[in-house]
Amino acid sequence: MADVEMKPVDEKKEEKKEEKPAEEKKSAPLTPVAEIKGNVALIERAVSTLEPRFTHRVLRSLTHLRKKLNDKVLQDAVHEVYRIDSPSKKALLVWLPDTSADHSMDIDPATAPSKQTPSEPLPEVEIYFRLLILHHLLTSPANYPKATRLAHETVEKIQALNRRSMDPIAAKVWYAVERAYELGGELADARPLFLAAQRTAALRHDDETEASLINRILRSYLQYSLYDQADKLVSKTSFPAAAGNPQHARYHYYLGRIKAVQLNYTAAHTNLQQAIRRAPPAKTAPGFYQAVHKLSIVVELLMGDIPERSLFRHPVLEEALAGYFEIVKAVRNGSLSQFQSTLSRYAAQFETDKTYTLIVRLRQNVIKTGIRRLSLSYSRISLRDICVKLHLDSEEDAEYIVGKAIRDGVIEGRIVHEKGWMECGGQKSGYGPEVSDVFSRRIAYCLELHNQSVKAMRYPLNAHRKELAAAEGAREREKELAKEIQEGGDLDDEGPDLGEGF
Amino acid sequence: MAPPQLVQGYKELQKVFISGNLQQTGVLLTKLKIGLTEAGLFVPYGNPDPQDLVLARDVLEVGAFWSIRTKDIPSFDRYFSQLQTFYNDYSSILPPSPREYPLRGLNLIRLLTQNRIADFHTTLESLPLPADSLTANPYIAHPINLEQWLMEGSYSKVWNAREEAPTEEYKFFVDSLMGTIRNEIAGCEEAAYDSLPLKDAATLLFFKSQNELLTFAQQRGWQVDLTAGKITFAKKTEEKVEIPKERLISANLQYARELEQIV
């Protein structure tokens, strides 16, 4: 099982790694300004060739580019890209402090003669710049109100332009809008804005933006613990299947949260597994990776499973999961006192992780595990002893609890009331139709994975022509070979058929 | 500003409610609700005056308590969902109500008695309190404890806690809660015992007299042997498990098809 589950993540890691060096080779020696310029060129290429792939590449570099931004870099970049004065250039510069204005004027003429392209850059480029400025403004608290204003203006602009080639950038802009509101401490106020935009995006089949917005809204609901509304939103919308992996990962994480609160642990577990598989590699996004794992461990415990130990040794997770590790140990031992002391010790951490109420629900699982352990090791045990071993308050309680455990199918056994003991029945043999069920579920999963990966492969345009030609050539050679064999006298009817297969 | 007759009616309602005249309270509530609707406060919109909102909230709170005293649960449900607006959306401009948490607690117990555990947890999760201080609030701690005991099976603790209700209204739910518990216990007994003496069955199910037990046993279809003083539970015979041939065949065909596609 572990092998199968880990694979998708590994694959993704490799994929990312392959892309990374290529990108870094190009960008490492570049100054931020040059990098922005390179990105602008990529965006222009994306728009002219209608290939959103290039835009995605630009946006992938956003995370590390963000750290290198400052007023000067942005200003220089704007001046370099916008060679002639235009309304959009002015609109962009308004958001940057004027202190170094004359300084950048020096650079402008110096670089201008090198390349003469006095055409106005595309609107996508302008939005990209706005995105960069937004991210830059969000780095200092003094600029939050300014960032919110810019965010509003940008969003209006995007909606007025309504260009499909802008969608991937727009999706990122919405993220920045959310950040602006959240850092300003008024996340709830942004909800109507998001809801309206989500409607528009859905109508325009703007998958990227819609996915991003659904996640924004869900996040804002969950932030305020409005699980009812979040659940309704999920049931009323359909998450666009074409959305990118990170958006899917987030969406599944939020779904997992909602389902866990509603006691639907199996569904929650499935969603969280999806979130883990689709998440970016642990080193790139440790925060998300840790958050998902925290929740997924609690849900697994609630389902009656014990998470694997190797998980707690993962370099990224080890420290973050310390409290959860203790909880898992307590549940595994079926010791209520250990569970309670761990819970009170790590209460603050669980509270900030928003898993406290879920962990409190584990109490009954601790008791159930305890009873199961007893039923495995004794063929007959008195209620009094159960009471002592599990730290229960009274024999009366023990009788009810054991009765409930039998009814819920946790253990096989009977209570003999007159004698005051519990008789444990033999274990059911573990082989039946349910085994084939589990087996078929796994097979279905593997097949699904295969089909999905086939679908996810990218086929370059017109490349099949080349392959066809190659295949044609191969067939030709095959025929010749077959002819030679035939002429050679060794007659084989299947010869030509074999060629068909190539 | 609220019309004077509304304020007048509100004062009257307070007096009547405290005196405990349920019928009169009902009549007044209906009148006030019409009054509130006319003043645009029943389902508030826009930016009404906070003072008027407090008045509307108080009327609705009285209505919720009144519904429980008259044992009208659907009516309580309606009042409470209207109060949610005041508790959640206007929480920043209104002073907190002393009756907010008793009502929230009552709502939790209501969900518990109706066995809506998922809703119970969702509601609990959306309370505007930090999670580890939930147990410090007596009104909320009560339903939380009840739920925990119900889930782990400590039914005797639930039975003992019925007298420790933080306010009078909580006791109105005790009866239906006891019904839920008895059914739970009966279910457990059917699974866990072969036979049970009548006397012990009565204590386990919290029945005071044997007659109550006998009618209950009849409802659940238990065999009561009066001479031996025993209840025998019908043993479920082990049903023979059939091998689901058709399903297996269709699954195998499906695999064959998929494999063909791959190869």
Side-chain angles (χ1 to χ4, degrees):
Chain A
M1 195 72 192
D3 208 0
V4 177
E5 279 176 7
M6 288 311 289
K7 249 184 194 155
V9 180
D10 285 346
E11 273 169 18
K12 210 182 290 169
K13 249 183 219 167
E14 277 163 30
E15 187 187 284
K16 279 263 159 89
K17 255 183 224 152
E18 273 171 16
E19 279 169 357
K20 272 272 164 66
E23 233 171 293
E24 258 155 41
K25 241 180 262 162
K26 250 195 297 155
S27 61
L30 292 178
T31 58
V33 181
E35 207 173 321
I36 293 175
K37 267 180 79 180
N39 284 340
V40 167
L42 273 177
I43 292 176
E44 275 166 357
R45 198 161 130 209
V47 175
S48 60
T49 57
L50 293 176
E51 268 280 22
R53 181 152 72 84
F54 296 116
T55 319
H56 282 296
R57 194 195 292 175
V58 170
L59 294 175
R60 249 197 316 264
S61 68
L62 190 65
T63 338
H64 73 103
L65 184 60
R66 199 165 66 188
K67 293 183 190 115
K68 291 188 240 164
L69 290 180
N70 56 43
D71 290 336
K72 168 117 173 41
V73 166
L74 280 168
Q75 234 155 28
D76 290 355
V78 171
H79 281 299
E80 296 225 354
V81 174
Y82 289 87
R83 295 190 182 282
I84 42 169
D85 272 334
S86 66
S88 36
K89 179 179 181 179
K90 266 187 213 129
L92 284 173
L93 287 176
V94 165
W95 300 101
L96 298 164
D98 306 318
T99 43
S100 54
D102 13 75
H103 184 71
S104 56
M105 288 302 271
D106 297 340
I107 294 176
D108 210 359
T111 43
S114 63
K115 220 166 54 176
Q116 290 258 321
T117 43
S119 63
E120 166 82 6
L122 294 159
E124 277 81 359
V125 174
E126 189 196 342
I127 301 297
Y128 178 63
F129 268 113
R130 282 168 177 271
L131 179 63
L132 290 179
I133 297 172
L134 256 179
H135 274 297
H136 174 59
L137 287 180
L138 288 175
T139 47
S140 67
N143 285 331
Y144 291 160
K146 213 168 150 188
T148 318
R149 274 207 313 280
L150 173 59
H152 269 285
E153 204 187 289
T154 313
V155 164
E156 271 162 32
K157 211 159 187 137
I158 292 171
Q159 288 183 333
L161 286 165
N162 188 17
R163 285 166 70 111
R164 286 293 72 79
S165 48
M166 200 187 283
D167 291 348
I169 307 179
K172 287 277 173 189
V173 169
W174 279 111
Y175 167 76
V177 173
E178 185 200 30
R179 276 303 278 172
Y181 271 101
E182 192 185 358
L183 292 172
E186 42 199 14
L187 191 51
D189 300 342
R191 228 177 281 146
L193 185 70
F194 288 153
L195 283 167
Q198 190 264 330
R199 250 190 332 260
T200 326
L203 288 174
R204 288 177 179 171
H205 289 289
D206 178 357
D207 286 343
E208 283 287 331
T209 312
E210 194 192 349
S212 168
L213 280 168
I214 290 180
N215 280 336
R216 302 282 86 80
I217 301 167
L218 275 181
R219 188 179 131 80
S220 120
Y221 279 145
L222 295 189
Q223 189 79 7
Y224 291 90
S225 298
L226 299 168
Y227 290 92
D228 266 342
Q229 270 115 309
D231 185 40
K232 274 179 200 139
L233 176 77
V234 169
S235 60
K236 294 279 188 302
T237 53
S238 57
F239 195 75
N245 256 339
Q247 298 297 351
H248 263 291
R250 280 202 195 96
Y251 183 66
H252 280 295
Y253 171 64
Y254 295 138
L255 275 192
R257 272 214 99 85
I258 299 170
K259 298 267 164 63
V261 167
Q262 292 172 335
L263 285 93
N264 192 350
Y265 300 130
T266 326
H269 186 67
T270 327
N271 280 322
L272 290 173
Q273 284 295 324
Q274 279 291 329
I276 292 173
R277 284 189 196 127
R278 290 195 181 240
K283 291 267 163 52
T284 337
F288 184 77
Y289 199 66
Q290 287 166 356
V292 181
H293 269 101
K294 281 172 187 169
L295 195 59
S296 129
I297 285 170
V298 178
V299 168
E300 231 173 285
L301 285 176
L302 282 166
M303 290 189 358
D305 295 344
I306 303 290
E308 269 175 64
R309 200 184 172 107
S310 57
L311 197 62
F312 298 98
R313 290 205 212 94
H314 193 288
V316 176
L317 298 174
E318 198 175 7
E319 226 168 283
L321 293 183
Y324 295 85
F325 185 47
E326 295 294 318
I327 288 284
V328 171
K329 274 202 278 191
V331 175
R332 225 177 91 84
N333 291 336
S335 152
L336 259 189
S337 51
Q338 194 186 341
F339 176 74
Q340 286 297 1
S341 66
T342 317
L343 186 60
S344 50
R345 187 144 52 97
Y346 291 98
Q349 194 202 334
F350 296 149
E351 173 63 16
T352 44
D353 292 346
K354 288 200 158 197
T355 48
Y356 187 86
T357 42
L358 289 176
I359 291 177
V360 171
R361 289 188 209 167
L362 273 173
R363 217 182 109 89
Q364 35 166 322
N365 288 51
V366 178
I367 297 178
K368 274 186 195 163
T369 324
I371 294 183
R372 184 150 49 188
R373 277 161 64 91
L374 287 180
S375 86
L376 289 177
S377 33
Y378 295 86
S379 62
R380 185 181 293 168
I381 180 168
S382 76
L383 292 172
R384 168 100 229 121
D385 287 342
I386 295 180
C387 195
V388 172
K389 280 186 197 297
L390 295 184
H391 308 285
L392 299 176
D393 293 344
S394 68
E395 266 176 72
E396 209 185 355
D397 274 342
E399 187 165 353
Y400 285 123
I401 291 171
V402 171
K404 193 171 155 62
I406 293 174
R407 193 199 54 173
D408 294 347
V410 179
I411 52 170
E412 289 275 308
R414 315 242 122 239
I415 303 175
V416 183
H417 187 81
E418 294 87 336
K419 308 251 171 66
W421 67 44
M422 166 179 96
E423 269 174 28
C424 308
Q427 287 300 299
K428 259 201 272 177
S429 72
Y431 212 81
E434 59 268 24
V435 179
S436 84
D437 276 349
V438 175
F439 195 50
S440 69
R441 248 205 318 275
R442 282 185 197 177
I443 294 177
Y445 170 71
C446 291
L447 289 174
E448 174 73 16
L449 184 67
H450 173 265
N451 289 342
Q452 289 288 339
S453 18
V454 169
K455 268 188 213 159
M457 277 195 261
R458 205 162 50 212
Y459 301 99
L461 280 172
N462 295 334
H464 67 284
R465 295 245 173 88
K466 245 183 262 169
E467 246 169 72
L468 270 183
E472 201 70 19
R475 212 169 294 162
E476 210 68 358
R477 251 173 287 137
E478 200 65 31
K479 265 185 199 156
E480 263 166 43
L481 203 73
K483 215 183 262 172
E484 271 169 36
I485 292 171
Q486 264 181 343
E487 281 166 2
D490 250 340
L491 214 84
D492 194 353
D493 277 344
E494 279 172 36
D497 274 345
L498 213 103
E500 199 87 332
F502 277 103
Chain B
M1 207 43 222
Q5 70 263 33
L6 205 63
V7 182
Q8 183 65 35
Y10 165 67
K11 281 187 183 135
E12 207 176 324
L13 176 77
Q14 290 253 337
K15 245 183 269 160
V16 176
F17 179 65
I18 289 167
S19 72
N21 187 341
L22 288 180
Q23 211 182 350
Q24 183 100 39
T25 315
V27 176
L28 275 174
L29 270 173
T30 325
K31 255 191 232 158
L32 274 173
K33 275 197 276 187
I34 298 171
L36 283 176
T37 318
E38 279 164 358
L41 287 167
F42 194 51
V43 183
Y45 56 88
N47 285 319
D49 187 46
Q51 246 179 333
D52 292 351
L53 283 176
V54 171
L55 190 146
R57 187 182 67 187
D58 280 353
V59 171
L60 289 173
E61 278 173 347
V62 168
F65 279 119
W66 170 81
S67 322
I68 288 185
R69 293 203 182 159
T70 52
K71 307 200 171 171
D72 185 354
I73 303 299
S75 152
F76 171 75
D77 209 3
R78 282 196 297 277
Y79 277 114
F80 189 76
S81 40
Q82 277 189 315
L83 277 169
Q84 294 247 324
T85 323
F86 292 90
Y87 290 152
N88 294 332
D89 302 338
Y90 287 102
S91 58
S92 48
I93 48 170
L94 292 185
S97 155
R99 284 183 280 212
E100 174 176 347
Y101 282 99
L103 278 172
R104 280 182 188 272
L106 280 171
N107 181 45
L108 285 174
I109 293 214
R110 174 183 69 90
L111 293 174
L112 208 55
T113 49
Q114 293 169 350
N115 225 351
R116 286 159 62 182
I117 306 292
D119 289 332
F120 175 87
H121 280 289
T122 318
T123 320
L124 198 61
E125 205 75 39
S126 35
L127 285 181
L129 284 175
D132 50 352
S133 67
L134 282 179
T135 39
N137 189 322
Y139 303 108
I140 305 298
H142 188 65
I144 288 183
N145 283 334
L146 287 182
E147 194 266 348
Q148 209 171 70
W149 291 328
L150 275 177
M151 281 301 120
E152 63 185 41
S154 315
Y155 298 118
S156 60
K157 283 196 190 136
V158 182
W159 179 255
N160 295 333
R162 93 204 118 111
E163 294 304 326
E164 298 162 12
T167 60
E168 270 305 301
E169 279 78 13
Y170 279 67
K171 291 187 182 159
F172 287 101
F173 282 109
V174 161
D175 287 336
S176 54
L177 193 61
M178 282 304 118
T180 321
I181 296 179
R182 274 199 190 114
N183 279 323
E184 283 279 305
I185 299 177
C188 294
E189 285 180 352
E190 279 164 18
Y193 299 89
D194 292 328
S195 67
L196 200 61
L198 274 179
K199 200 161 65 62
D200 295 327
T203 35
L204 281 176
L205 287 165
F206 310 112
F207 281 123
K208 288 198 187 73
S209 75
Q210 195 162 327
N211 281 338
E212 280 177 296
L213 175 66
L214 288 179
T215 41
F216 186 75
Q218 218 165 16
Q219 273 170 17
R220 297 205 60 107
W222 291 342
Q223 294 163 7
V224 184
D225 187 353
L226 277 176
T227 42
K230 259 188 178 183
I231 299 176
T232 5
F233 301 102
K235 277 279 263 176
K236 275 172 261 131
T237 44
E238 294 264 311
E239 65 253 45
K240 215 160 154 32
V241 200
E242 287 265 334
I243 294 174
K245 294 176 218 118
E246 261 179 54
R247 208 156 47 91
L248 284 177
I249 293 170
S250 70
N252 280 329
L253 285 175
Q254 165 103 24
Y255 301 152
R257 218 173 13 247
E258 294 274 355
L259 276 177
E260 198 130 79
Q261 273 176 20
I262 294 172
V263 179

